[in-house]
Amino acid sequence: MKQLKNQTLLASVLTDGKGQQVFNPFDDSLLATVPMSCQAKIEHDVVEMEAGQKAWQKKPVSERCQLMKKWHQLILQNEDDLAMLITLEGGKPLKEALGEVRYGASFIEWFAEEGRRAYGNTIPSASNDKTILTVKQAIGVAAAITPWNFPLAMITRKAAPALAAGCSFICKPSESTPLTAFAVTELAYQAGIPKDVLRMVVGENAHDVGEVFTYHPSVRKFSFTGSTLVGRKLQMQCASTIKRTSMELGGNAPFIVFDDADIDSAVKGAIASKFRNAGQTCVCANRFYVQEAVYDEFIQKLVAEVDKLKVGNGLDESTDIGPLISKEAKQRVSDLIEEAKGRGARQINQERSLEGNFIAPTILIDVEHDRPLVQGEIFGPVLPIIRFSEEDKMIAMANDTIYGLAAYFYSQDMNRIWRVAHNLEYGMVGVNEGIISTEVAPFGGMKQSGNGREGAKEGLEEYLETKYVCIGGLDR
Ligand code: ADP
């Protein structure tokens, strides 16, 4: 990869033609090829990770956390290269990619600190001859499957708590974005984290890797970020060995603008939430509900701002919206737009016809609530708007979905803020804020958006067992 300043990042993984091909979604050109493992090799990897985990958990936590801090520093030192890889293989605009590198790195620093605080409890006993206490212990080998939309952060958000807890961590990155995954792992090795404690694998196909990760008895924890469809299947596979799971699945985030909102701020939040990564994030605002009294003002201001957004190559510094991940993704989003238009939806911003994997930002009004555009996850820069009058009815519509990941609303009325935040059936609620992801808060969903939380102290718990120890026969 001649684009990189630090040639060591991918030196050990690039092959000369055999293996998984990685393409640039900007122009579908071939970027690189990385090796693929067969199922037997991945099973062997898991066995090695089991041995690695035993040694890793014996290291003093301070030593583990020091290595993680070194890893964190190396990521920041190589942030331009990592951002470049994210843009090349994922299409994300460079400035956003740099944001992802820093966001991804923040989990490593945060868990390197939090790992030292995996406290147990001592519990008052009912009888004098017993002491009751709990200790926290690493679960064991943790395996993960991650998506392409955050090729770095979705890995570090899982690997950091796993390593801090004393687990080893094996991961299959998305086949679309393995380069970032291998590069960030190489930096972990350079920091001194052993190869049998952290490892990336690309299989001959996703299904084969998924089978090993979910059926192998030595894998004690499985963490997945991806679609609800695939997550449901993997969760069922995990049932066979009763694994602990964390599932970060699909979302269908409502974005609500009440008539007492600060409209300028709501427009800014809407754009930040909707168009991040060209609308390809699970917490992207998916459907907009705007109250009657501010409907015209919101739409007018929104259109003016959205039409300024620049669509283009992610490597161009001025680009706001890059390409979608693939031809298929573009086709899927185009079909959703056409379907809604066929049922009366109207585009109210500038129409731009674009070649390649691009979809221009599209604002649609008069959208019927039961259309797939509103009911499913769009994963593209399309913004359907629905007008509402009564709060109760709108909340019922917002909650009428199998998903429960993120929700956003804008209001300046304190009573309403508490009431609506309470009544939305979502794992994360942004109030007067369109970007809510941070390493210090628990990220995760309700309903079929998944289980478990990533980030914050809850994120560490996902990789720990609570062991209760009862010491009896004491003479007190
Ligand atoms: P997305 O729309 O984000 O690609 P997917 O759920 O299809 O969502 O993919 C997320 C991750 O799950 C990717 O790494 C992909 O390779 C993997 N994946 C897809 N299908 C399977 C499967 N049947 N078994 C295991 N992993 C899978």
Side-chain angles (χ1 to χ4, degrees), residues 268-287:
K268 220 166 136 213
I271 289 173
S273 172
K274 176 73 246 182
F275 297 112
R276 195 160 163 233
N277 202 20
Q280 303 170 108
T281 88
C282 50
V283 290
C284 269
N286 204 61
R287 48 203 167 115

Side-chain angles (χ1 to χ4, degrees), residues 204-277:
E204 285 165 351
N205 60 65
H207 174 263
D208 284 2
V209 188
E211 279 194 343
V212 178
F213 283 4
T214 54
Y215 289 128
H216 201 297
S218 299
V219 173
R220 295 304 321 136
K221 160 85 193 186
F222 178 71
S223 178
F224 175 73
T225 299
S227 59
T228 295
L229 195 71
V230 174
R232 198 179 282 129
K233 180 171 172 287
L234 295 171
Q235 173 95 332
M236 285 197 278
Q237 290 178 202
C238 283
S240 67
T241 48
I242 319 287
K243 290 191 204 315
R244 277 266 287 280
T245 60
S246 299
M247 295 280 165
E248 298 293 349
L249 309 178
N252 181 3
F255 188 107
I256 305 155
V257 184
F258 287 103
D259 54 15
D260 52 44
D262 173 335
I263 298 303
D264 290 334
S265 156
V267 167
K268 220 166 136 213
I271 289 173
S273 172
K274 176 73 246 182
F275 297 112
R276 195 160 163 233
N277 202 20

Side-chain angles (χ1 to χ4, degrees), residues 309-329:
L309 295 175
K310 189 161 175 276
V311 184
N313 186 352
L315 289 181
D316 183 342
E317 293 282 340
S318 63
T319 292
D320 299 302
I321 300 180
L324 296 198
I325 189 69
S326 64
K327 242 197 279 339
E328 295 71 33

Side-chain angles (χ1 to χ4, degrees), residues 79-80 83 86-87 93-103:
E79 63 180 12
D80 290 338
I86 292 172
T87 299
L94 206 48
K95 56 193 170 193
E96 261 188 58
L98 194 58
E100 179 183 345
V101 176
R102 292 174 187 166
Y103 169 62

Side-chain angles (χ1 to χ4, degrees), residues 145-439:
I145 294 182
T146 54
W148 48 263
N149 60 347
F150 288 89
L152 190 144
M154 292 306 99
I155 292 173
T156 55
R157 199 159 82 173
K158 299 175 191 301
L163 264 49
C167 296
S168 56
F169 184 81
I170 183 166
C171 176
K172 185 198 90 62
S174 166
E175 39 287 316
S176 304
T177 55
L179 301 178
T180 311
F182 281 118
V184 78
T185 305
E186 171 58 30
L187 291 172
Y189 297 155
Q190 291 180 11
I193 293 171
K195 291 192 173 167
D196 54 5
V197 169
L198 179 69
R199 193 171 294 186
M200 293 298 133
V201 293
V202 171
E204 285 165 351
N205 60 65
H207 174 263
D208 284 2
V209 188
E211 279 194 343
V212 178
F213 283 4
T214 54
Y215 289 128
H216 201 297
S218 299
V219 173
R220 295 304 321 136
K221 160 85 193 186
F222 178 71
S223 178
F224 175 73
T225 299
S227 59
T228 295
L229 195 71
V230 174
R232 198 179 282 129
K233 180 171 172 287
L234 295 171
Q235 173 95 332
M236 285 197 278
Q237 290 178 202
C238 283
S240 67
T241 48
I242 319 287
K243 290 191 204 315
R244 277 266 287 280
T245 60
S246 299
M247 295 280 165
E248 298 293 349
L249 309 178
N252 181 3
F255 188 107
I256 305 155
V257 184
F258 287 103
D259 54 15
D260 52 44
D262 173 335
I263 298 303
D264 290 334
S265 156
V267 167
K268 220 166 136 213
I271 289 173
S273 172
K274 176 73 246 182
F275 297 112
R276 195 160 163 233
N277 202 20
Q280 303 170 108
T281 88
C282 50
V283 290
C284 269
N286 204 61
R287 48 203 167 115
F288 288 71
Y289 298 97
V290 185
Q291 206 159 14
E292 267 169 348
V294 293
Y295 184 82
D296 291 337
E297 183 189 354
F298 178 77
I299 284 183
Q300 186 205 345
K301 288 183 167 168
L302 184 72
V303 167
E305 290 305 313
V306 166
D307 282 343
K308 288 182 202 158
L309 295 175
K310 189 161 175 276
V311 184
N313 186 352
L315 289 181
D316 183 342
E317 293 282 340
S318 63
T319 292
D320 299 302
I321 300 180
L324 296 198
I325 189 69
S326 64
K327 242 197 279 339
E328 295 71 33
K330 172 173 174 158
Q331 188 59 50
R332 200 186 54 75
V333 177
S334 306
D335 289 349
L336 284 174
I337 297 173
E338 288 316 310
E339 201 277 343
K341 283 184 173 171
R343 295 288 293 256
R346 285 189 296 129
Q347 180 165 353
I348 52 162
N349 70 315
Q350 183 198 344
E351 297 208 19
R352 302 182 231 180
S353 155
L354 303 167
E355 297 292 311
N357 298 330
F358 293 98
I359 294 256
T362 305
I363 303 176
L364 295 172
I365 58 166
D366 299 339
V367 185
E368 289 181 6
H369 200 255
D370 62 353
R371 303 328 303 154
L373 189 68
V374 178
Q375 296 298 317
E377 202 172 20
I378 301 173
F379 248 57
V382 186
L383 203 155
I385 302 182
I386 289 156
R387 187 197 297 249
F388 77 93
S389 53
E390 290 164 47
E391 181 184 308
D392 286 0
K393 284 192 184 144
M394 188 279 307
I395 295 287
M397 282 199 287
N399 287 337
D400 183 20
T401 165
I402 62 164
Y403 298 109
L405 194 58
Y408 307 87
F409 68 92
Y410 278 70
S411 167
Q412 307 215 74
D413 173 337
M414 208 29 118
N415 276 328
R416 173 173 269 161
I417 286 176
W418 278 111
R419 186 172 64 240
V420 173
H422 181 81
N423 288 333
L424 285 169
E425 294 169 356
Y426 288 82
M428 296 174 281
V429 180
V431 184
N432 299 326
E433 182 57 62
I435 297 285
I436 53 175
S437 302
T438 157
E439 76 281 10

